[in-house]
Amino acid sequence: MKEKLFIAVILLLCLIPSAGMLLPARGEAGGNEVLAPPPLLRDAEGGINGAYLSQLSGYVEDNYFLRQQMVSAWSALNQNLLHTSIADNVVLGKDGWLYFGGTLDDYTGADLMTDREIFCAARNLTLMDRYVHDRGGFLVFTIAPNKNSLYPEHMPGLTVPPHRSNAEALAERLAIGVGTDYYEAAPDPAAVYVDYADLFSLFRGQEETLYFTQDSHWNAKGAALAADAILQRIIPPYSAYHQPSYFQETFIPQDNHRSDLYAMLYPTGKWRETDQTYGGELHFTYDKPFRSANDMTIQTSGGAYGESLVMFRDSFGELLYPYFADTFSHAVFSRSMPYKLEELASEPAVVVIELVERNLDYLIQHPPIMPAPERTVPEAKIVDAPLALTAAPASSPEGYVLVQGTLPVEPAEESAVYLCSGGRRWEAFLLEDNGFALYVPEAGLEDLRVVFTAPEETVSLPAFVQK
């Protein structure tokens, strides 16, 4: 009898997660999770959903009763007894510190960008900078450091060979054009001219810790330090506008921050980390309904500096944007990727691009949405080896198509890529794996050729759009 009772109890416990799914509320996702939605019997075209069973399996796996409580309990058991993390994206550091697993390649130098890829990223930034400048604007690029780039002393014991990080390599490349009047000279494929705000040396020079211990981001005071550094590159010292130093204001410690890495381990955890909340006054209003700092687009008005701002930002911008909203008379903060630069055509604007260190390869993965710049193409050897391209109509810019292709051979390290059609020639954005992409007028796709520099000579290849 006891054995039967024991088996019944075990079966009942096993049924609780499934039976509990009948309840109207089962909790929310933890950390950065996106839980699978309930599957539909029919697909978007009205037919039978062939993936229903696999989608149902994913839905049950993500939504069984007491899932988050069980995950939290299992995480506590592993962390306290085995000193391991149950989440691949969370690294257990020393002294209670947590680090984001997605930064390990940067930290160890395991999968660095090549010199060619660094050039491509810098060149793409240069094309964006020139586009903004030609429309009367000004562009600043900055990198939000990975936490373990600034505070490696709390990382677990890993063998880290000496290496130059992607951020260091890109910063060196961006410094090439400093002091050169790019806008008065013909564009040089190897030249780079971008205003870069270095936050690495700035943060390393501070005695206090300006990142959260169990979150991957800087705190509000760290964001203020970054904002001051970027604004100093934008607002000239002779301006009538007196830029405040947000970092020098009073900050009030408050235990109100739900740390993202902690939430990945403990989705039902109630602990809150101390943030240094800005104690001054910020004067701005939202131009459209505001839900959270994670909104895809945030628009504000009210700053005293009489310029417009467009900031392309990632999650580090959640604590950064209020300082810029307080500064600029009108500001748009966008999380769009690729960067929608064509929207700047209506009026001049200051443009800030903030990108976290671990995602620098985004610069060679997502071509910005903007018309390709027209160029004078260098003399090239004509080679009879047709190159297949793809061309897809673009919703923006209107009347343009996105042309993409892959070079058949490895280009020279500092080679630009040009698309020629009839009497017009455009420079392309440079992508990883020898790819390239650019937006050109739809009416201009005829008698195509692609020009680039191979290791030994500049070549011109006939090209065609693959149907």
Side-chain angles (χ1 to χ4, degrees):
M1 183 64 183
K2 292 182 179 179
E3 291 81 0
K4 293 181 179 180
L5 180 61
F6 176 78
I7 293 173
V9 170
I10 295 300
L11 290 176
L12 180 61
L13 291 175
C14 291
L15 286 173
I16 288 177
S18 299
M21 294 185 67
L22 299 175
L23 298 176
R26 295 179 303 279
E28 301 177 351
N32 295 325
E33 283 186 311
V34 178
L35 301 183
L40 301 176
L41 288 173
R42 297 192 176 275
D43 57 25
E45 287 73 32
I48 299 298
N49 182 7
Y52 179 83
L53 292 179
S54 62
Q55 292 175 1
L56 179 63
S57 176
Y59 172 71
V60 172
E61 182 179 345
D62 280 358
N63 293 272
Y64 60 80
F65 186 55
L66 298 179
R67 175 181 181 272
Q68 307 295 37
Q69 288 82 354
M70 294 181 184
V71 169
S72 296
W74 181 241
S75 181
L77 180 66
N78 278 266
Q79 183 172 356
N80 294 323
L81 295 183
L82 304 177
H83 306 290
T84 59
S85 168
I86 67 168
D88 292 338
N89 278 337
V90 180
V91 176
L92 300 183
K94 304 172 184 176
D95 308 315
W97 279 55
L98 301 178
Y99 293 88
F100 182 55
T103 64
L104 285 178
D105 283 350
D106 287 316
Y107 180 73
T108 62
D111 187 21
L112 296 175
M113 296 169 68
T114 66
D115 289 342
R116 168 66 181 172
E117 290 174 332
I118 291 295
F119 168 79
C120 293
R123 187 64 188 162
N124 291 346
L125 285 168
T126 298
L127 298 187
M128 289 186 273
D129 178 85
R130 181 62 187 261
Y131 182 78
V132 172
H133 178 274
D134 287 348
R135 280 146 190 78
F138 178 76
L139 185 144
V140 174
F141 173 69
T142 194
I143 302 172
N146 294 338
K147 187 164 75 172
N148 46 21
S149 293
L150 300 180
Y151 308 105
E153 62 273 17
H154 300 285
M155 282 287 289
L158 298 174
T159 301
V160 180
H163 66 277
R164 182 182 65 166
S165 69
N166 291 333
E168 291 170 334
L170 183 57
E172 290 176 12
R173 173 62 73 172
L174 294 179
I176 291 176
V178 173
T180 306
D181 192 354
Y182 171 61
Y183 304 112
E184 296 300 325
D188 177 355
V192 175
Y193 306 89
V194 177
D195 197 323
Y196 169 62
D198 177 16
L199 300 182
F200 289 82
S201 57
L202 178 66
F203 273 78
R204 286 168 180 155
Q206 305 300 315
E207 294 184 0
E208 61 183 311
T209 299
L210 297 172
Y211 275 53
F212 294 107
T213 61
Q214 299 204 355
D215 192 292
S216 54
H217 302 88
W218 51 40
N219 60 27
K221 191 170 184 180
L225 181 67
D228 285 349
I230 299 169
L231 289 169
Q232 287 172 5
R233 305 192 74 87
I234 296 172
I235 302 173
Y238 52 81
S239 172
Y241 173 77
H242 177 68
Q243 179 203 341
S245 175
Y246 295 107
F247 184 68
Q248 297 301 327
E249 285 284 349
T250 300
F251 284 80
I252 305 169
Q254 291 186 334
D255 299 332
N256 60 359
H257 182 75
R258 180 167 173 77
S259 300
D260 61 352
L261 301 178
Y262 169 83
M264 292 182 194
L265 294 179
Y266 303 102
T268 59
K270 303 301 182 182
W271 176 79
R272 294 294 183 269
E273 188 165 354
T274 301
D275 191 9
Q276 299 295 324
T277 304
Y278 184 70
E281 293 186 13
L282 298 176
H283 303 279
F284 66 90
T285 58
Y286 294 98
D287 295 347
K288 66 177 188 177
F290 172 80
R291 294 183 298 274
S292 74
N294 197 39
D295 285 357
M296 184 60 68
T297 303
I298 299 173
Q299 296 183 12
T300 64
S301 298
Y305 186 56
E307 298 285 347
S308 294
L309 169 75
V310 176
M311 174 181 279
F312 296 103
R313 52 93 179 188
D314 50 29
S315 57
F316 276 77
E318 294 183 17
L319 292 178
L320 187 64
Y321 87 86
Y323 304 115
F324 288 87
D326 181 66
T327 300
F328 288 88
S329 59
H330 177 70
V332 177
F333 305 92
S334 173
R335 291 179 55 237
S336 71
M337 179 61 74
Y339 302 132
K340 298 180 179 179
L341 286 171
E342 94 292 349
E343 297 178 355
L344 303 176
S346 58
E347 63 176 275
V350 174
V351 176
V352 173
I353 297 177
E354 173 272 311
L355 184 63
V356 65
E357 179 184 0
R358 66 176 181 268
N359 291 336
L360 288 180
D361 55 358
Y362 282 12
L363 295 171
I364 56 173
Q365 294 175 351
H366 307 279
I369 301 175
M370 55 171 267
E374 296 202 44
R375 293 288 188 254
T376 300
V377 176
E379 293 293 329
K381 175 184 177 181
I382 298 178
V383 178
D384 188 16
L387 176 62
L389 307 175
T390 62
S395 57
S396 180
E398 186 176 354
Y400 280 70
V401 293
L402 174 61
V403 178
Q404 300 184 79
T406 302
L407 299 178
V409 298
E410 187 77 23
E413 180 181 313
E414 296 186 345
S415 173
V417 177
Y418 307 94
L419 178 68
C420 307
S421 175
R424 304 181 71 179
R425 301 160 181 85
W426 301 273
E427 182 174 352
F429 283 98
L430 307 173
L431 306 181
E432 61 186 356
D433 300 324
N434 299 335
F436 61 91
L438 68 167
Y439 289 87
V440 297
E442 186 173 9
L445 297 180
E446 57 184 21
D447 189 23
L448 297 174
R449 301 196 72 85
V450 171
V451 177
F452 68 98
T453 303
E456 296 181 355
E457 58 188 348
T458 300
V459 298
S460 174
L461 303 178
F464 63 95
V465 176
Q466 196 169 33
K467 302 298 183 181

